[in-house]
Amino acid sequence: MAIKRNYKGNKNALVLSGGGAHAAYQVGVLSAITKFIPRNHGIPFPIICGTSAGAINATALSCYASCFHLGVKKLEWMWKSLHTHNIYHSDPIRVLGHISRGILGSFQADYANKSARSLLNTEPLRDLLNQVINFDRIDNNISNGYLSALSITASNYSTGNSISFFQSEPGIKPWFRAKRHGEPCQINSEHLMASAAIPLVFPSIKIRNQHFGDGSVHQLSPLSPAIHLGAKRILVIGVEQPKEPVHANENNPHPPNTATIAGHLLDTIFSDTLKSDIERMDRINKTLSLIPKENKKNIEGLQHIDSLVLNPSHDFNAMACEHYNELSISVRLLLRSVGITNDPESSIGSYLLFEKNYCNRLIKLGFEDAMIKEAQIREFLSL
């Protein structure tokens, strides 16, 4: 039996950023945290927020909020048994068929009912999500006091706004800010598909007659959903990696190719806004510390938020290069046709390499990085 916990005094939040296959790193960090928590213990983060592939991890954890160990084990099993064909079609017939339908669709009249166009078809991901995630458990965990709120962020291509779909206990109201707002709903696989739809590579998803894509695209404030849902302390598992030097001819440096530029764009989408938001929160905390205690009562909308950020210690690109040939030849040919190759200067391959050997290495790295910071994590979570 799991231990029932009352989370009224616990305002810890977990924020999981996006990044395709990079999200396997988050599983390793979470696996390490289970080593600090007793078995059959509820999740130490009653508020969980996810974006892109991090949204899938966040939802899976929410379904097992009553037993943190079990939730992480389920998540780890899923990532360790992954293959590319579980995420998108990778066999020659369906890869060619998807591209052909996209080309033919470009000739349709404007009034025709068009399908979303993309480089890859993620229909297998939808099947996987509906198979491994029991969305009914989210409401059960909220009702039983194991979970306070789950938030999934997606980008609304129709309006250009960042939308945080959230499912929570009563009393949490929607929020409206410039270019971003929170919308209460029942989370399902379509919200996850939308949040994880990497621009151009994966197709956009239609929800209530509006088109949504990867949550990182328009997300100006990645920490905002957690704060609006009541967080006082935020543990962030990011995917910002140190860039390992690439040995090039310094006398004749070559210009960046398509793959390199596209990789930089994705890195910016998935990492830079989070880093900026954390810096902004730190500045607000320092400003608040300078205000006399008697004057703080007159300040509305600002509060001190503690945070701990865990990022990878090694570059994923170098790892991905070693496993690139595990992608099917049809996918490699497709990527090459648009200028994407096994280039250590580009991160494209590292986002799309949903193969278990590569994912296992990221999980292992996440576990090791978290164990090195065990003391900080224990102190932050009051374990």
Side-chain angles (χ1 to χ4, degrees), residues 44-270:
F45 320 101
I47 300 168
I48 308 178
C49 303
T51 303
S52 192
I56 296 174
N57 289 341
T59 304
L61 280 178
S62 299
C63 292
Y64 292 93
S66 59
C67 184
F68 183 48
H69 278 256
L70 179 59
V72 174
K73 285 292 183 186
K74 293 273 188 180
L75 198 54
E76 194 171 0
W77 170 83
M78 183 184 76
W79 279 95
K80 284 187 172 182
S81 57
L82 263 189
H83 289 285
T84 300
H85 63 77
N86 299 129
I87 307 300
Y88 51 83
H89 288 149
S90 58
D91 59 284
I93 294 176
R94 282 186 283 195
V95 167
L96 182 60
H98 180 68
I99 296 299
S100 300
R101 285 191 296 273
I103 294 173
L104 292 174
S106 65
F107 295 101
Q108 288 182 302
D110 291 339
Y111 56 79
N113 187 16
K114 297 183 179 182
S115 300
R117 296 181 61 186
S118 62
L119 192 63
L120 299 167
N121 186 345
T122 54
E123 196 59 35
L125 175 58
R126 179 181 282 106
D127 295 336
L128 177 66
L129 293 175
N130 287 324
Q131 178 184 347
V132 302
I133 297 180
N134 183 354
F135 294 93
D136 293 335
R137 295 178 65 101
I138 300 173
D139 256 347
N140 293 337
N141 286 324
I142 291 174
S143 300
N144 293 326
Y146 297 115
L147 183 69
S148 174
L150 165 67
S151 170
I152 303 301
T153 298
S155 296
N156 189 329
Y157 289 153
S158 302
T159 65
N161 292 331
S162 175
I163 310 299
S164 295
F165 299 103
F166 69 92
Q167 192 169 337
S168 69
E169 61 188 357
I172 297 180
K173 298 179 181 179
W175 60 90
F176 299 89
R177 296 291 186 271
K179 305 298 291 183
R180 55 188 167 89
H181 72 261
E183 182 177 315
C185 70
Q186 293 291 120
I187 303 293
N188 59 43
S189 59
E190 295 308 293
H191 298 101
L192 302 188
M193 291 289 292
S195 183
I198 298 174
L200 301 178
V201 182
F202 294 165
S204 60
I205 302 298
K206 191 175 183 180
I207 301 176
R208 293 197 300 275
N209 293 321
Q210 293 187 316
H211 298 275
F212 291 85
D214 197 292
S216 300
V217 174
H218 292 125
Q219 194 174 37
L220 301 177
S221 182
L223 302 180
S224 172
I227 295 171
H228 281 289
L229 293 171
K232 303 294 185 186
R233 301 163 66 81
I234 303 175
L235 176 66
V236 181
I237 305 179
V239 291
E240 183 185 4
Q241 319 129 54
K243 293 298 180 183
E244 296 179 0
V246 177
H247 301 290
N249 185 351
E250 294 181 0
N251 296 323
N252 185 26
H254 58 76
N257 58 25
T258 304
T260 303
I261 295 172
H264 279 298
L265 289 174
L266 287 183
D267 291 342
T268 298
I269 289 172
F270 291 121

Side-chain angles (χ1 to χ4, degrees), residues 84 88-93 95-96 120 323-337 340 355:
T84 300
Y88 51 83
H89 288 149
S90 58
D91 59 284
I93 294 176
V95 167
L96 182 60
L120 299 167
H323 298 275
Y324 185 79
N325 288 332
E326 294 175 20
L327 288 171
S328 69
I329 189 169
S330 55
V331 171
R332 279 183 279 149
L333 288 173
L334 175 63
L335 295 178
R336 180 176 284 273
S337 71
I340 299 172
E355 289 293 336

